[in-house]
Amino acid sequence: MRIVADKRFYGAGVEDFEEARKFKDVMREVFEISVASNAGDFIPLLRWIDFHGLEKKLQKLQAKFDSFSEVLIEERRSIRQGSLGESGAKTYIDALLSLQESEPEHYTDNIIKGNILISDGLFCGLSTIPPSNLAQWPPLIHIATRRNRHFISDDRWAMSLLLNHPEALKRASAEIDEHIGHERLVEEADLPKLPYIQCIVHETLRLFPAAPLLVPHESSEDCTIGGFHVSRGTMVLVNAWAIHRDPQLWDEPLSFKPERFEKMENMGYRFIPFGTGRRQCPGSGLANRVVTSTLVSLIQCFEWERVGEEMVELLEGKGLSMPKNKPLEAMCKARQRMSDVLKEL
């Protein structure tokens, strides 16, 4: 939300608690409806009678979000016009309003509202990305630095895979030490210097994409895909999970091998965790940076081990963003070399 409208609705620094509450309520309803099964997609008769009232719920939710986003747009529009003073941050809404001035027919307020919900990552990002700033992990830092042991729960997959492959974790740690050192925390500008870490992120997204079935699309015309006739208006789902594990496309597809991405220049349609083409996830760049920064921070500052000799379970649970069946449980302790940096957080 700070990127979208220069507002903070979570954590410390929330200025308008009522507005924050409305935002949380709307997003909670968005997720609840998004994962709801609609029998009308399979039985057209039920769609006509609005079985389970899903259509009414969607209309009510649309009105709520429309009202909420309208306030955000008008606030940024007023700031741009100078009536509310100068603002030091240029937001996502500001960028869209600039485009609206040059191309008003393409960037109407309704288009901007849709982009606020989908393109900026609110819909996908809220349920999939952990905090990237290590200062947002105070309980972890406190316990790890004082007691040298802590159990951490999170639904991310990268740490689970690294704990099961300590040689990859060791290599990642060495890369971080070489290019960043121990005097400061990782910054966004450091990420291009860490190619192996990026390979780990790619391999994690290959095995466990955040959206195993990509966002549904609809065929605009009759077409043929893989020898199958697809009529106009058909809902089309792309199974990224199956493509990423296809033995015809990948060598040892079920194995965790980050190095496979070191020599892979053009991944094409076989690696599509964020979709591809004109309608791929516009938040992919942000997601990649946040996930990579988080992973680097955890490896840079802490030593990690499995709780016991058993391998970390890699079974998938139920959910829109494919969480782990069991939250990750691991042991960590602060790295001695990073103690001075951690004390300052």
Side-chain angles (χ1 to χ4, degrees), residues 34-38 41-42 123 211-220 223 225-226 228-231 233-243 269 272 275-276 320:
S34 298
V35 299
S37 177
N38 182 18
D41 289 336
F42 308 98
F123 179 68
L213 293 177
L214 300 182
V215 176
H217 292 277
E218 183 177 298
S219 53
S220 57
C223 58
I225 301 177
F228 293 91
H229 175 73
V230 180
S231 301
T234 300
M235 181 189 293
V236 180
L237 293 168
V238 177
N239 192 336
W241 187 94
I243 293 173
Y269 292 105
I272 51 173
T276 187
L320 185 65

Side-chain angles (χ1 to χ4, degrees), residues 234-262:
T234 300
M235 181 189 293
V236 180
L237 293 168
V238 177
N239 192 336
W241 187 94
I243 293 173
H244 289 178
R245 294 169 178 245
D246 190 337
Q248 297 183 23
L249 303 177
W250 301 92
D251 178 41
E252 298 183 50
L254 301 184
S255 299
F256 176 69
K257 298 173 62 177
E259 58 275 10
R260 75 171 79 239
F261 285 94
E262 291 179 328

Side-chain angles (χ1 to χ4, degrees), residues 283-302:
S284 58
L286 174 63
N288 200 344
R289 287 175 176 81
V290 173
V291 171
T292 305
S293 297
T294 302
L295 182 61
V296 174
S297 296
L298 293 175
I299 297 173
Q300 181 188 23
C301 296
F302 303 100

Side-chain angles (χ1 to χ4, degrees), residues 10 78 86 90 106 108 133 150 154 166 180 199 225 267 269-270 282 289 319 337:
Y10 292 87
S78 297
E86 295 295 326
K90 182 178 181 180
H106 295 301
T108 64
N133 184 346
H150 180 60
D154 184 39
I180 301 177
C199 289
I225 301 177
M267 293 177 277
Y269 292 105
R270 52 181 176 163
R289 287 175 176 81
R337 295 178 177 181

Side-chain angles (χ1 to χ4, degrees), residues 1 4 65 68-70 72-73 92-93 96 109 111-123:
M1 281 308 302
V4 175
F65 184 80
F68 175 81
S69 56
E70 183 69 35
L72 296 181
I73 293 172
Y92 183 74
I93 294 177
L96 291 173
D109 279 6
I111 293 296
I112 294 177
K113 292 172 186 176
N115 276 275
I116 292 173
L117 178 62
I118 300 296
S119 297
D120 59 20
L122 288 181
F123 179 68

